[in-house]
Amino acid sequence: MSEQPASAPPSFLSSVMLTGANVILEPLSALHIPELAEAVRDGELWNTWYTRIPAPSDMARDVEARLAQHEAGSAVPWAIRRTDTGAVCGMTTYLNIRAEHRRLEIGSTWLAASAQRTQINTEAKLLLLTRAFEDLDCIAVEFRTHWHNHQSRAAIARLGAKQDGVLRNHDVWRDGTLRDTVVFSIINSEWPTVRLALTSRLDRA
């Protein structure tokens, strides 16, 4: 009897629902636009100068752009739904997908102000990292943020990611200023320890 071929790994571009106790990551669709426009009003997030978060009036355009990137094979976007209220509270995305090198970036993430500094971000990142390392067999997952986004830098470090370096004058920002991009990563050998730390943090909360 011939041996069955090994199953192919899940596609890096597969859009799947990821479910935790506190958060559900739903494959992004145009149906999420009204809820996302409402969520971004919580904290008026689009006014933060060192981020690129869409205003309510720009939400449809932003969602359409993310869906086009998914169609083009360069990103996988999700809407973030909290389980306690059932409300959509943000978005997140797999970016810079390099399946042949088994690596990707988690980014373009934003959360409504009331969802920040809660279990939501921790569990969302745990779900995304688990899929990346355990389903997609990634060897590295990257995070990038603005040098001046100290809240984001601290949150990424709390995940267990290590800073790789700073890309100087990496982007021309919307107001013409230059962004220095801080690059962090988690590699596959670090994943078991990172997973344990994130799981323990959720258990203690």
Side-chain angles (χ1 to χ4, degrees):
M1 185 173 174
S2 62
E3 220 176 272
Q4 292 296 315
S7 298
S11 167
F12 274 62
L13 294 172
S14 294
S15 189
V16 298
M17 185 176 294
L18 303 175
T19 303
N22 304 285
V23 66
I24 299 171
L25 302 184
E26 300 176 355
L28 185 67
S29 78
L31 297 177
H32 289 112
I33 292 170
E35 289 182 280
L36 288 165
E38 183 62 30
V40 83
R41 291 188 177 94
D42 181 359
E44 298 187 351
L45 303 177
W46 63 93
N47 288 322
T48 308
W49 69 269
Y50 48 73
T51 63
R52 288 176 174 149
I53 299 175
S57 59
D58 295 326
M59 191 59 67
R61 187 181 304 113
D62 186 78
V63 169
E64 288 166 5
R66 295 193 193 211
L67 293 176
Q69 289 167 359
H70 183 221
E71 186 68 24
S74 63
V76 181
W78 284 272
I80 303 171
R81 188 180 299 279
R82 55 191 306 164
T83 58
D84 55 354
T85 66
V88 168
C89 61
M91 285 195 284
T92 192
T93 308
Y94 279 168
L95 302 164
N96 294 323
I97 296 170
R98 302 176 68 202
E100 69 277 20
H101 298 290
R102 292 161 51 202
R103 61 184 300 136
L104 53 79
E105 176 190 344
I106 296 173
S108 290
T109 301
W110 60 264
L111 284 175
S114 59
Q116 296 174 16
R117 298 182 178 87
T118 69
Q119 295 174 305
I120 290 170
N121 183 59
T122 301
E123 188 167 59
K125 292 301 193 296
L126 177 60
L127 291 170
L128 292 167
L129 288 165
T130 299
R131 174 164 174 74
F133 285 116
E134 298 182 15
D135 295 340
L136 303 178
D137 195 28
C138 283
I139 59 173
V141 173
E142 194 173 281
F143 302 84
R144 298 186 175 204
T145 192
H146 197 297
W147 173 266
H148 287 281
N149 193 343
H150 299 290
Q151 180 178 332
S152 176
R153 289 168 61 183
I156 293 169
R158 283 196 300 272
L159 294 173
K162 293 182 173 62
Q163 184 173 316
D164 294 321
V166 181
L167 303 176
R168 307 293 301 279
N169 285 359
H170 186 236
D171 288 319
V172 179
W173 215 235
R174 56 191 173 194
D175 60 0
T177 60
L178 300 176
R179 164 175 138 152
D180 290 346
T181 299
V182 188
V183 183
F184 295 81
S185 68
I186 298 169
I187 59 175
N188 55 345
S189 61
E190 298 167 341
W191 168 236
T193 304
V194 170
R195 179 181 55 204
L196 178 60
L198 293 177
T199 303
S200 297
R201 190 193 307 174
L202 289 169
D203 288 344
R204 290 195 307 270

